[in-house]
Amino acid sequence: MIHHIVMWKLKDSANDKTKFENAQLMKERLEGLKEILPEIIELRVGFNIENEYSNFDVVLHSYFKSMEDYFTYQKHPEHEAIGNWVFTIREERFCVDYEF
């Protein structure tokens, strides 16, 4: 099983939207991938609830049966489109993938 974790720090505003508006849209778009890609076992998107001391605003946790399924997800055109859009609203991105 593959656990894919991504964290983003978002710009205060981008694409004529606030950080919160972009975070909400990001959550909707990412969670929509579950309906498109059967390779996703589980996918969760959450927002940081402690803003005073934390660096990141949004986190994604997703699970896949195999690296093959994970790569299918990574290369899917809808995932790539979301990734390109997220690039325009984020300041930083960190990712960890591990097998368990």
Side-chain angles (χ1 to χ4, degrees):
M1 189 89 98
I2 306 300
H3 187 183
H4 173 60
I5 306 167
V6 186
M7 297 185 303
W8 296 272
K9 180 176 178 72
L10 302 183
K11 296 175 183 176
D12 287 334
S13 65
N15 301 335
D16 297 321
K17 293 189 177 5
T18 66
K19 178 188 288 193
F20 179 75
E21 290 170 326
N22 279 324
Q24 287 285 94
L25 185 55
M26 186 178 188
K27 178 178 173 66
E28 291 169 20
R29 292 185 71 184
L30 287 168
E31 288 177 346
L33 290 173
K34 183 132 173 63
E35 303 301 317
I36 298 169
L37 287 155
E39 291 82 7
I40 299 170
I41 294 172
E42 185 176 345
L43 186 145
R44 295 182 191 173
V45 178
F47 303 134
N48 184 9
I49 58 173
E50 175 55 74
N51 291 317
E52 187 174 348
Y53 300 105
S54 299
N55 293 327
F56 294 89
D57 302 301
V58 180
V59 64
L60 163 74
H61 286 268
S62 52
Y63 297 87
F64 305 87
K65 285 183 185 176
S66 66
M67 285 302 291
E68 184 178 4
D69 285 353
Y70 170 70
F71 289 135
T72 298
Y73 158 83
Q74 287 291 330
K75 296 183 184 305
H76 190 278
E78 185 62 25
H79 176 266
E80 290 180 343
I82 294 169
N84 290 335
W85 171 75
V86 168
F87 186 80
T88 69
I89 66 167
R90 69 154 170 103
E91 289 182 5
E92 292 182 74
R93 175 190 177 272
F94 287 96
C95 177
V96 173
D97 300 309
Y98 68 91
E99 190 169 13
F100 65 99

